[in-house]
Amino acid sequence: MKIKTCLTVLCAAVIAAGFSAQSALAAKIGVSMPTQSLQRWNQDGANMKTMLEKAGHQVELLYAGDNDIPTQVNQIENMIAHGDDVIVIASIDGSALTEVLKGAKEKKIPVIAYDRLIMNSDAVSYYATFDNFKVGEIQGKYIEEALKLKEAKGPFDIEFFTGPTDDNNVNFFWGGAMKILKPYLDSGKLVCKSGQTTKEQAATLNWNLEEAQKRMENIISSVGYAPDGTKLDAVLCSNDATANGVTNALLSNGYDASNMPVITGQDCDKPSVKNIKKGYQSMSVFKDTRTLAAQVVKMVDEIVAGKTVEVNDTKTYDNGTGVIPSYLCNPVAATKDNYKELLIDSGYYKEKDI
Ligand code: BGC
């Protein structure tokens, strides 16, 4: 009896100690995501919520409709008003949050920019993302190797599709790809018959698939690209949504797996992985959203515990108010040859999903 009482007291003490250790570090975390219309942000949001809750935090996860900037501003305003302890934001327009984040700064709420850098705000404490320049380089190098640009004589026809210029990542995706491809454009080995070779001309509003599809349709009819006409050799697409738009336009204009140009992408969204398997899209860049979410949860824990926050880049990402200490995760090329290992074996997708 005595022993039993003792054990009960001991158990209660251990539970209480454990609970207070956790609750001392538990915090209220606001997570603001841009849209539910693209698969990756649903995954990002879900991963963050699960991992933050597992770490003992309370989570307020909100999506800003379908890339609706006023909704995102409003949601962040509420997170600040509710007194969230840390706010994590994947911005829609990186420059649209300057005003609202003044409130976070006043209340000393740390802000983590998630995947996309938030510009012109000194309220941003940290930035966690993938190496965005490397994403562009991987895409550029893929085209360079697929067309054997180093040795072949050419010329080869190429077109360009990237994201909206209000997404700071676009500067890096574009910069990385152009570092590889621009010398070939300059020498004439690569030719862009539409003439649309600037980032602004290649931009796609909100990364919208239909927008990219429409622009590709227009280019096809104005240049006269066709499997048996002016052959198109490559389309640099900065992500999978734009790649899907371009692929749809080409398929409805007579292209098939036997004559598709080299098409790049990014995210390994399910429709793109399916297209890679069918031979419609050549590659995507795999950014394991689980890795990014885990890194951000680690940042949150370090902030809440008052520890030094781990970063691995302190020179690349200046948001207009100074360089934001960043953690860059590693992107990798995904193709027909390695998608199984990257996506299935790692448990990211089930074979039946793709
Ligand atoms: C992200 C990409 C994504 C794109 C569209 C970019 O900022 O880095 O992974 O494809 O936004 O959502």
Side-chain angles (χ1 to χ4, degrees):
M1 187 65 180
K2 246 189 174 171
I3 288 176
K4 206 175 161 196
T5 316
C6 245
L7 278 178
T8 313
V9 171
L10 193 67
C11 271
V14 168
I15 290 168
F19 180 73
S20 67
Q22 187 182 57
S23 58
L25 298 180
K28 203 157 104 191
I29 315 298
V31 180
S32 168
M33 290 279 144
T35 177
Q36 280 184 300
S37 71
L38 276 185
Q39 182 198 322
R40 78 149 289 184
W41 301 111
N42 292 310
Q43 273 169 218
D44 284 286
N47 289 338
M48 287 287 295
K49 189 164 161 38
T50 311
M51 290 183 198
L52 283 168
E53 283 175 350
K54 212 166 162 199
H57 304 299
Q58 198 185 321
V59 183
E60 186 176 21
L61 167 65
L62 296 173
Y63 286 88
D66 183 6
N67 287 311
D68 188 53
I69 297 168
T71 303
Q72 182 161 52
V73 170
N74 206 264
Q75 290 174 337
I76 294 169
E77 209 163 25
N78 287 334
M79 288 171 181
I80 296 169
H82 298 165
D84 285 1
D85 297 299
V86 181
I87 302 181
V88 179
I89 303 168
S91 57
I92 300 165
D93 176 342
S95 300
L97 303 177
T98 311
E99 266 315 299
V100 70
L101 289 182
K102 284 183 183 159
K105 176 99 179 166
E106 265 163 33
K107 286 194 160 183
K108 297 197 170 55
I109 302 173
V111 172
I112 300 175
Y114 185 98
D115 194 85
R116 299 172 174 165
L117 186 57
I118 298 168
M119 307 304 288
N120 310 320
S121 169
D122 62 357
V124 182
S125 317
Y126 299 100
Y127 179 37
T129 189
F130 285 85
D131 185 334
N132 296 304
F133 193 81
K134 190 169 169 191
V135 168
E137 276 184 324
I138 291 173
Q139 295 166 335
K141 278 187 191 149
Y142 187 91
I143 292 177
E144 182 182 54
E145 277 163 30
L147 299 181
K148 301 194 171 52
L149 289 176
K150 281 187 185 150
E151 53 273 17
K153 266 181 81 190
F156 297 99
D157 291 328
I158 186 166
E159 295 293 339
F160 296 92
F161 285 72
T162 192
T165 48
D166 58 18
D167 179 347
N168 186 57
N169 286 354
V170 167
N171 298 321
F172 290 85
F173 300 152
W174 185 260
M178 278 302 181
K179 177 184 146 197
I180 310 293
L181 300 176
K182 188 162 180 301
Y184 297 112
L185 281 170
D186 290 345
S187 72
K189 216 181 242 194
L190 280 179
V191 177
C192 176
K193 291 222 161 89
S194 72
Q196 297 170 15
T197 52
T198 67
K199 185 177 62 189
E200 289 72 22
Q201 289 170 320
T204 312
L205 187 73
N206 280 339
W207 293 98
N208 183 274
L209 186 156
E210 287 78 22
E211 289 285 323
Q213 186 165 340
K214 250 189 279 166
R215 194 172 141 250
M216 190 68 218
E217 295 274 1
N218 289 339
I219 292 175
I220 290 171
S221 56
S222 63
V223 174
Y225 287 125
D228 54 0
T230 306
K231 198 174 155 4
L232 178 60
D233 300 291
V235 187
L236 174 94
C237 294
S238 288
N239 85 337
D240 284 346
T242 50
N244 292 341
V246 165
T247 302
N248 291 349
L250 290 166
L251 288 174
S252 62
N253 279 277
Y255 285 84
D256 60 32
S258 70
N259 50 33
M260 268 290 181
V262 175
I263 298 176
T264 62
Q266 162 181 204
D267 293 331
C268 286
D269 277 350
K270 288 174 193 167
S272 279
V273 181
K274 287 181 187 160
N275 281 349
I276 289 175
K277 286 167 77 178
K278 286 187 198 149
Y280 295 161
Q281 184 175 325
S282 317
M283 61 86 72
S284 186
V285 176
F286 180 47
K287 304 196 301 185
D288 192 329
T289 51
R290 297 169 299 190
T291 314
L292 181 58
Q295 196 60 44
V296 175
V297 173
K298 189 162 171 283
M299 275 185 171
V300 167
D301 282 340
E302 286 161 349
I303 292 172
V304 172
K307 290 189 190 153
T308 308
V309 173
E310 188 194 357
V311 293
N312 62 8
D313 184 292
T314 50
K315 55 181 197 310
T316 310
Y317 288 96
D318 189 326
N319 82 339
T321 67
V323 173
I324 307 298
S326 307
Y327 192 97
L328 310 185
C329 303
N330 195 37
V332 285
T335 64
K336 221 180 203 161
D337 299 329
N338 69 353
Y339 82 88
K340 276 208 170 110
E341 182 192 329
L342 288 180
L343 304 172
I344 310 292
D345 298 353
S346 78
Y348 199 73
Y349 291 145
K350 299 205 168 48
E351 184 78 64
K352 68 170 170 39
D353 297 333
I354 50 169

